Amino acid sequence: MINKNDTGLVKRSQAVIPGGIYGHMAVRGFSDTLPQYMADGNGCRITDTDGNTYIDFMCGWGPVVLGHRHPTVQSAVAEQLKRGDCLNGASPVMVELAELLVDTVAHADWAMLAKNGTDATTASVTIARAATGRRKVLMANGAYHGAVPWCTPVTAGVTAEDRAHLDYFDFNDLESVRAAAARAGDDLAAVIVCPHRHDVHRDQEQTDPQFARGLRELCDRTGAVLILDDVRCGFRLDIAGSWEPMGVRPDLSAWSKAIANGYALAAVTGTDALRDAASRIFTTGSFWFSAASMAAAVATITELRETDALERIARAGQRLRDGLAAQAAAHGFEVIQSGPVQMPLLRFAGDDDFTLTRRWTDEAGARGVYVHPYHNWFLGASHTDADIDEALERTDGAFAALTR
Amino acid sequence: MINKNDTGLVKRSQAVIPGGIYGHMAVRGFSDTLPQYMADGNGCRITDTDGNTYIDFMCGWGPVVLGHRHPTVQSAVAEQLKRGDCLNGASPVMVELAELLVDTVAHADWAMLAKNGTDATTASVTIARAATGRRKVLMANGAYHGAVPWCTPVTAGVTAEDRAHLDYFDFNDLESVRAAAARAGDDLAAVIVCPHRHDVHRDQEQTDPQFARGLRELCDRTGAVLILDDVRCGFRLDIAGSWEPMGVRPDLSAWSKAIANGYALAAVTGTDALRDAASRIFTTGSFWFSAASMAAAVATITELRETDALERIARAGQRLRDGLAAQAAAHGFEVIQSGPVQMPLLRFAGDDDFTLTRRWTDEAGARGVYVHPYHNWFLGASHTDADIDEALERTDGAFAALTR
């Protein structure tokens, strides 16, 4: 493919945007064939500025859980925009959304709303410190909890003091958590953890239920706050919270991404014990009370609750996983598919530097399947059996290309 | 007024939102008469859930610079939403907006986009540290630069280390800046400052041009980065940057609020010297590349550039200030009106605890004029002479009420 329009946009962007683009959507970091710019999206299809259409397995990097431009969500937003969005005070839909979150999320007695996943993780840590009067926060080595100095994976511009009260454990290794907790002593404020290990540049790792239960017990015993960073998984795996199937409930959860099918929103939910602390911290933003994204969230969560959307996502993910496994085998490749089927990742066995995997995702991209070599993908409720089968026809060509 | 619907929403919110509401829009902190919830907005009028309409002098606390539901901005958003918003990659409008910012903002060679004003101030500080390899950042005592641990005005949940490398000066006091710079020595990364002093709970204070020039000289001499926090003033006072009339250009500016007439967007603009550092930090968010708010920003900035919107805002602000001054005098009150007329504040002389001022803003609120006792107000381009005159008729009643 020669993406003339994309090439032109990239050239223009290099003059006016540092590095041409920044953050997780910088395509140059993970693909030689995928375009940097996108013109539109509809359901599970996205189209670039040169008119090439892709079956989308990133879903806007997670937010688009129902499909691009889902009619119910779009209508809710349009109706709210007819009334107003950024007013002097909240709109009634804020109360409606908070009530819906409390009713939907198993551990939630209250909700606060924000804009970025990082807002929600940062507020969670701050609430935990305010509640406990302690400082130390434990997180897993390699985990992603946002992109500000206390947690960003790149340390340019970060000072040592930004992370003075963080300590680290290994995911699924309870002994390492206990050791970190011992180091924190009576200054342990919180443990923050993702629902499963979905760090970039490695296979995903499902959570050992014993690990989750052990974290819960440790927090109960020490009076520390258990924070589940459900930003990436939330509202895609289990509507009540991603650890609900294991029966382990956090004290605080951070949410964003899929909460409003692509509209900018984040949330913290918490238990009654943390309500006072949540009301004592001061965190806010110019657009945190804006109504349109809240209307989108009410529509999205309602659709997820009242339809079989989550089952369809799991079904599509399983169909994709089964198909890719069969295809790889047929072409003589050993692949490792990891993580929940709703958030899959495929890596070629032994391909520790992702060279072969990236060749494959590039070949898939060139055939109109948008997947990532080392960050988990996302399925959505708009992926039908027919979409998956069409995607598999194309990935078959990608596998075949690797054998040539 | 008995606002039954608002009372009902407040009661419901107390069950599901910590404190009922949080952040800057918590009405209980500044008014006994204004409602917590708003149903809609149109131009410079907002209507609460009980059907009471207010002439809006907060403009959504700044963002609404052209008026609520401005048709040009609403059309741009609707058109973009027809194509897509949160896609796998940026949309062409991101390049268009970055080019427009570089063309509009006097000091800007590049732009980065985010969601919150706090995102922009935090990224600015991080870029300054990455560029200089130094750590110390100087800010004015009492200045507001956002609501995360390094800068939030309330310290619940904040650790000492979150502010380990901040030091403080007094606004408009160059000697105090020089003393802080001397304390920082060769570790001085940046000075962050607002265009004028607009701290809550005090009269606003215009910037002494000698102070601004002195900061510029100090940064030039020490190699520190001069950051202008133009989040609150930007795109309302001078389209090229709020210090442009003084001829003082920062190295970095943080923008948000008025940039997209109420849609969630923030920006950092910077000079070529900081482009490399800006590309080396890692900061991002799930919705930072979403297209609809960028389309809103292009429409807003274009409208501000191509019409007399900014002149109309200044004219409305002057008319309001003159009218209030005459009214206060006629009723025998001495009032202090401070700040730019586009972002006014009124305080009764000698009313150091704002008791009388709050009585007056409450009386104004009860008469359908939405103003604040101790946070600057905002004028917008939708305030006509007739709107100002109608507001003044109502505030006359508020002054009269205080004499009874």
Side-chain angles (χ1 to χ4, degrees):
Chain A
M1 269 184 296
I2 299 169
N3 290 318
K4 283 189 181 173
N5 291 328
D6 197 65
T7 301
L9 285 162
V10 168
K11 272 194 186 166
R12 283 169 57 197
S13 74
Q14 283 163 348
V16 291
I17 299 174
I21 195 82
Y22 46 87
H24 62 294
M25 286 197 183
V27 165
R28 63 174 181 280
F30 61 86
S31 175
D32 296 320
T33 63
L34 289 168
Q36 182 61 69
Y37 290 89
M38 283 290 164
D40 67 52
N42 197 0
C44 67
R45 310 273 168 151
I46 51 176
T47 303
D48 69 22
T49 60
D50 290 281
N52 305 299
T53 294
Y54 305 80
I55 301 175
D56 177 11
F57 291 114
M58 288 305 283
C59 293
W61 294 67
V64 181
V65 65
L66 296 172
H68 295 279
R69 293 198 272 137
H70 188 273
T72 309
V73 181
Q74 298 300 85
S75 295
V77 169
E79 283 306 308
Q80 184 60 53
L81 288 178
K82 281 185 201 163
R83 297 193 288 276
D85 183 31
C86 184
L87 301 161
N88 302 351
S91 294
V93 71
M94 182 174 179
V95 182
E96 194 185 340
L97 175 57
E99 289 173 340
L100 183 61
L101 286 168
V102 167
D103 190 58
T104 302
V105 174
H107 80 102
D109 294 315
W110 53 261
M112 293 172 78
L113 301 165
K115 286 286 130 183
N116 301 311
T118 304
D119 298 341
T121 56
T122 302
S124 294
V125 167
T126 309
I127 292 167
R129 285 178 172 147
T132 59
R134 307 176 192 168
R135 299 174 300 175
K136 302 297 176 189
V137 174
L138 311 186
M139 59 176 280
N141 284 305
Y144 181 81
H145 294 298
V148 288
W150 76 265
C151 54
T152 181
V154 175
T155 56
V158 174
T159 70
E161 287 74 11
D162 291 320
R163 299 171 181 203
H165 296 299
L166 293 184
D167 201 352
Y168 301 87
F169 58 84
D170 291 322
F171 194 86
N172 268 345
D173 178 353
L174 207 48
E175 280 312 307
S176 71
V177 185
R178 287 177 182 142
R183 289 193 294 273
D186 60 6
D187 203 16
L188 181 62
V191 178
I192 184 168
V193 64
C194 295
H196 69 272
R197 188 170 189 175
H198 49 54
D199 314 351
V200 290
H201 290 118
R202 51 170 294 138
D203 301 331
Q204 294 186 85
E205 190 178 329
Q206 295 287 24
T207 302
D208 180 347
Q210 286 296 100
F211 177 71
R213 284 194 281 271
L215 291 186
R216 179 68 277 173
E217 286 161 11
L218 183 142
C219 288
D220 289 342
R221 193 175 70 244
T222 58
V225 175
L226 181 57
I227 303 169
L228 191 64
D229 179 352
D230 223 337
V231 168
R232 203 183 295 182
C233 301
F235 301 113
R236 185 169 256 107
L237 303 183
D238 188 299
I239 191 77
S242 297
W243 274 10
E244 197 56 20
M246 292 193 296
V248 178
R249 292 191 179 161
D251 301 300
L252 294 173
S253 291
W255 310 87
S256 184
K257 288 204 180 280
I259 193 170
N261 201 46
Y263 289 89
L265 197 73
V268 179
T269 54
T271 59
D272 268 330
L274 295 165
R275 189 191 291 263
D276 174 65
S279 71
R280 286 190 289 111
I281 73 161
F282 186 81
T283 183
T284 195
S286 294
F287 313 108
W288 286 23
F289 303 90
S290 294
S293 61
M294 297 186 191
V298 169
T300 301
I301 295 169
T302 302
E303 186 80 10
L304 291 171
R305 281 174 60 139
E306 296 185 356
T307 73
D308 61 347
L310 289 179
E311 290 149 46
R312 280 185 281 129
I313 295 172
R315 174 191 169 94
Q318 190 63 55
R319 191 176 185 90
L320 181 65
R321 181 162 296 186
D322 293 345
L324 291 172
Q327 253 170 27
H331 287 282
F333 292 107
E334 186 184 344
V335 298
I336 297 157
Q337 298 196 73
S338 61
V341 295
Q342 303 94 324
M343 297 169 58
L345 185 64
L346 179 149
R347 185 173 65 86
F348 286 76
D351 184 37
D352 292 342
D353 65 356
F354 294 85
T355 302
L356 185 60
T357 305
R358 181 168 164 156
R359 275 186 56 208
W360 180 78
T361 55
D362 270 352
E363 293 288 350
R367 286 166 177 78
V369 175
Y370 200 115
V371 287
H372 197 292
Y374 57 78
H375 182 294
N376 72 274
W377 318 341
F378 296 91
L379 276 285
S382 62
H383 288 109
T384 65
D385 286 357
D387 293 318
I388 299 299
D389 293 346
E390 184 181 345
L392 287 168
E393 279 176 38
R394 299 181 188 191
T395 56
D396 194 61
F399 281 113
L402 296 195
T403 64
R404 282 195 289 272
Chain B
M1 266 184 295
I2 298 169
N3 289 318
K4 285 187 180 174
N5 291 330
D6 197 63
T7 301
L9 284 163
V10 168
K11 274 193 186 164
R12 284 169 57 196
S13 75
Q14 283 163 348
V16 292
I17 299 174
I21 195 83
Y22 45 88
H24 62 294
M25 286 196 182
V27 164
R28 63 175 183 278
F30 62 86
S31 175
D32 296 319
T33 64
L34 289 169
Q36 182 61 70
Y37 290 89
M38 283 290 164
D40 66 53
N42 196 1
C44 68
R45 310 275 168 148
I46 51 177
T47 303
D48 68 22
T49 59
D50 290 281
N52 305 299
T53 293
Y54 304 80
I55 301 175
D56 177 11
F57 290 115
M58 288 305 283
C59 294
W61 293 67
V64 181
V65 66
L66 295 172
H68 295 279
R69 293 198 273 137
H70 188 274
T72 309
V73 181
Q74 298 300 84
S75 295
V77 169
E79 283 305 308
Q80 184 60 53
L81 288 179
K82 280 185 203 164
R83 297 193 289 276
D85 184 28
C86 184
L87 300 162
N88 302 351
S91 294
V93 70
M94 182 173 180
V95 182
E96 194 185 340
L97 174 56
E99 288 173 340
L100 183 60
L101 286 166
V102 167
D103 190 60
T104 303
V105 173
H107 81 100
D109 295 316
W110 52 261
M112 292 173 77
L113 301 165
K115 287 284 132 182
N116 301 310
T118 305
D119 298 340
T121 56
T122 302
S124 293
V125 166
T126 309
I127 291 166
R129 285 178 172 146
T132 60
R134 307 175 192 170
R135 300 175 299 176
K136 302 296 178 189
V137 174
L138 312 186
M139 58 175 280
N141 285 304
Y144 181 81
H145 294 298
V148 287
W150 78 264
C151 54
T152 181
V154 175
T155 55
V158 173
T159 70
E161 287 73 11
D162 290 321
R163 298 170 182 203
H165 296 298
L166 293 184
D167 199 353
Y168 301 88
F169 58 84
D170 292 323
F171 194 86
N172 266 344
D173 178 353
L174 207 50
E175 279 312 307
S176 71
V177 184
R178 288 176 182 142
R183 289 193 293 274
D186 59 7
D187 203 17
L188 181 62
V191 178
I192 184 168
V193 63
C194 295
H196 69 274
R197 188 171 188 174
H198 50 53
D199 313 351
V200 290
H201 290 116
R202 51 170 296 138
D203 301 332
Q204 294 185 83
E205 190 177 328
Q206 295 287 22
T207 303
D208 180 347
Q210 286 296 103
F211 176 70
R213 283 194 281 272
L215 291 187
R216 180 68 275 173
E217 285 162 12
L218 183 143
C219 287
D220 288 342
R221 195 177 69 245
T222 59
V225 175
L226 182 56
I227 303 169
L228 190 65
D229 179 352
D230 223 337
V231 168
R232 203 184 295 183
C233 301
F235 301 113
R236 185 170 255 106
L237 303 182
D238 188 299
I239 191 76
S242 298
W243 273 10
E244 198 56 22
M246 292 193 298
V248 178
R249 292 191 178 162
D251 303 300
L252 293 172
S253 291
W255 310 87
S256 184
K257 288 203 180 281
I259 193 170
N261 201 47
Y263 289 90
L265 197 74
V268 178
T269 54
T271 59
D272 268 330
L274 294 165
R275 187 190 291 261
D276 173 66
S279 70
R280 284 190 290 112
I281 73 163
F282 185 80
T283 183
T284 195
S286 294
F287 313 108
W288 286 22
F289 304 89
S290 294
S293 60
M294 297 185 191
V298 169
T300 301
I301 296 169
T302 302
E303 185 81 8
L304 291 171
R305 281 174 61 139
E306 296 185 356
T307 73
D308 61 348
L310 289 177
E311 289 150 45
R312 281 184 283 129
I313 296 172
R315 174 190 167 94
Q318 190 64 54
R319 191 176 185 91
L320 181 65
R321 180 161 296 186
D322 293 345
L324 290 172
Q327 255 171 22
H331 288 281
F333 292 106
E334 186 185 343
V335 297
I336 298 157
Q337 298 195 72
S338 61
V341 296
Q342 304 93 325
M343 298 168 58
L345 184 64
L346 179 150
R347 185 173 65 86
F348 286 75
D351 183 37
D352 292 341
D353 65 357
F354 294 85
T355 303
L356 184 60
T357 304
R358 181 167 163 157
R359 276 186 56 206
W360 179 79
T361 56
D362 270 353
E363 293 288 351
R367 287 166 176 77
V369 175
Y370 200 116
V371 287
H372 197 291
Y374 57 77
H375 183 293
N376 72 273
W377 319 340
F378 296 92
L379 277 285
S382 61
H383 288 109
T384 65
D385 286 358
D387 294 317
I388 299 300
D389 293 346
E390 185 181 345
L392 288 167
E393 279 175 39
R394 301 180 186 192
T395 56
D396 194 61
F399 281 112
L402 296 195
T403 64
R404 281 196 290 270

